Amino acid sequence: MNNIKLFFLLALMLSFITGYAQNNKRIIIETDRTSLILTVGKNGHVYQSYLGERFQNREDNNSAPQGKNAYITGGMDDQFQPAIRITHADGNPSLDLVYVDQKVNNPDAASTETVVTLKDPQYPVIVKLHYQAYAHEDVIKSWTEIINNEKGTITLNDYASSMLHFDAESYWLTQFHGDWAYEMQMQESKLTSGIKEIDSKLGTRANMYQSPMFLLSLNKLSDENTGEVIAGTLAWTGNFRFHFEQDQNNSLRVVSGINPYASAYQLTAGKTFTTPAFIFTYSANGRGQVSRNLHTWARNHDVMDGNGSRLVLLNNWETTKFDFNEQQLNGMLDNTVKIGADLFLLDDGWFGNKYPRSDDKTALGDWQPTQNKLPNGIGNLIKQAKAKGTKFGIWIEPEMVNPKSELYEKHPDWILKLPNRAENYYRNQLVLDLTNPKVADFVFRTMDELIEKNQGLAFIKWDCNRLMTNTWSAHLKDKQSNLFVYYVQSFYNILKRLRAKHPQLPIMLCSGGGARTDYEALKYFTEFWASDDTDPVERVYIQWGYSNFFPANTVACHVTSWGKQSLKFRTDVAMMGKLGYDIDVNKMTPNELVFTQQAIKNYKRLSNVIWRGDIYRLISPYEANRAVLMYVDSTKTKAVLFNYNLNIREREQVNRVRLQGLNPQAKYKIEETNLMPGTKAILTDNGRTFTGDYLMKVGLDLNNWHLKALTSSVVEITLQ
């Protein structure tokens, strides 16, 4: 009997000690400069105790206050927006999550993944919080697994990827909004008590009006070099929601994830739902640093061939629209070689025979070359391009269908459309139902056959010109609320299959401009089309917005005939990203042709710095009538500066521009490049050598007395 009592006493003591240790457990997620600290409370709940600069003394990790619940559940005692809200199979609308364990692993040499497992004490529902920390880049990815071990289906009413808490004196939100040809317009506001949401319900062209990314400044509005700031973006090519809620105590919660609008997800017994990743980075030294963090992380760990080379292309769209033939295209192949570009891209209008594609009303879905336009097919154009010393690429919009097409006639049940309602058209087209495996197979086969039958195809532009309306799937029947999620998952599965067979082919992501720009899609694409608006003044603002989150080699920027600015100005603006051309070369003057040939040579010579260098935004177009930025390579031996005078007045006072990112002890030669033939540099100090310290403290006079609107300069800065 005494032995039995002793056994139970020891077991009770062990349980108490284990429980005490567990209930005071600290979970540390950290990068080289940032820490996210979670704490297991006495009640078994997990709390966010700290998010900010990494402590120099690791013992300070244990001093952070308990904080707020890291992943708040709905239906219990919290009165604000939860991270997760479910309805159990028996109809109970509540969820309680307590700590089970944590595991730490290394998915690769550059990151550490922490998985915190939680469970409901009363229901067999498990939630796993994933945090993948990239030490060098100071980036954290967070996502959630929801596991249904109940015997019936549960409904996920809210299912966030991330919940973050902040306690500051004030909060400033920088968001990016727009429309077709008006993407990534920056807007800043101070958050007030209550709720602010940024969301999309558009489905395919999800970020046509609102972009899935933001900057959040703490205590004061951050600038490029000062202030605490979080940059966040959701890796999801579909409906999203960022929920900012400031409570009665001035605390802020930020809930990020899939927009649950019309998407109460039915999770069947034994299944797991995995949310997309919310990607964020923190800096105490302004928004320039969070941009550099994201750029480095994206190139190293996310974007398809992120550190590889990119092709300078010539597109036919602005020259021919839908009206072209083989002879014209052969001439454009010659022009591609003439200007020194790497590839010719054939845009919309090459397909359809029963209903030839002569405008945007026909043939989407009928992906066969139009006989009277291309009697010898795509393969012949590829051969012609190779013979001339260049490459060939093609445009396609595989997720869409025109009502006037053979595909629509054969498979009207493959379309997303409401029963008992008139079809709703946008750009004269409809969306294919990718949730249907037969349709997904068709889209995959379309892409695979295009590549397999046309060996040597060197580039694809994948477009998506329609958002979702009147959305309903004949295939899903009683699971319509899963449609928006299933569509995106099917889209990714198609891309995974395509990349398994064709891992190296460069593909541009396009969506009627920049309505698809996220880091999950970019795992499969080398770049994205930033906007159909290629007017260089507007492009300065658009490209400036994207530069906060995406590296230059992912942002496609083309020289076109939009706008009345000089060819030099248009070229200099396009060179700050991934350069391309969509212009009638035959209409260039001799000087313009010579300039273009040299500009492409200059770009190829400087592209390593532009694509892989650290960005420093020096003068914002939102704060002045000009924009100045520079890229500096990792060894600080080479930099490229872009100077754009926008609607600047003739005698407007402008100051010297202090450079950033250079080695203060080193000496650098300053040279203006990309000059029109017969013109002289406007840079006052052209050809001179200065220390990095001087350039960062005194700076350069980029305009001298040549201060004119819609002029520009490109400056090389080279270590001596």
Side-chain angles (χ1 to χ4, degrees), residues 9-62:
L9 180 62
L10 289 172
L12 182 63
M13 291 177 62
L14 180 61
S15 175
F16 175 79
I17 292 169
T18 303
Y20 179 83
Q22 177 170 293
N23 291 338
N24 287 271
K25 185 179 183 63
R26 297 284 185 169
I27 302 169
I28 312 298
I29 298 119
E30 59 187 7
T31 66
D32 287 349
R33 291 173 288 277
T34 302
S35 290
L36 172 62
I37 302 175
L38 307 179
T39 301
V40 181
K42 293 181 179 179
N43 58 4
H45 291 169
V46 176
Y47 296 87
Q48 178 191 313
S49 298
Y50 178 79
L51 172 58
E53 287 188 276
R54 183 170 171 172
F55 295 121
Q56 294 183 8
N57 187 337
R58 293 188 64 82
E59 293 181 2
D60 289 339
N61 289 338
N62 297 317

Side-chain angles (χ1 to χ4, degrees), residues 357 360-362 364 401-404 425-430 466:
R357 181 75 164 176
D360 64 7
K361 296 180 176 64
T362 62
L364 285 177
V401 61
N402 285 122
K404 194 173 183 179
Y425 304 127
Y426 184 95
R427 200 177 180 262
N428 306 299
Q429 62 194 61
L430 294 161
R466 195 203 195 283

Side-chain angles (χ1 to χ4, degrees), residues 105 177 185 215 227 234 270 305 374 486 493 496 545 552 582 628 707:
N105 61 79
H177 70 100
Q185 303 300 303
L215 301 171
L234 189 70
D305 195 21
L374 305 176
Y486 280 173
N493 287 334
K496 288 175 186 176
D582 192 348
V628 185
L707 191 60

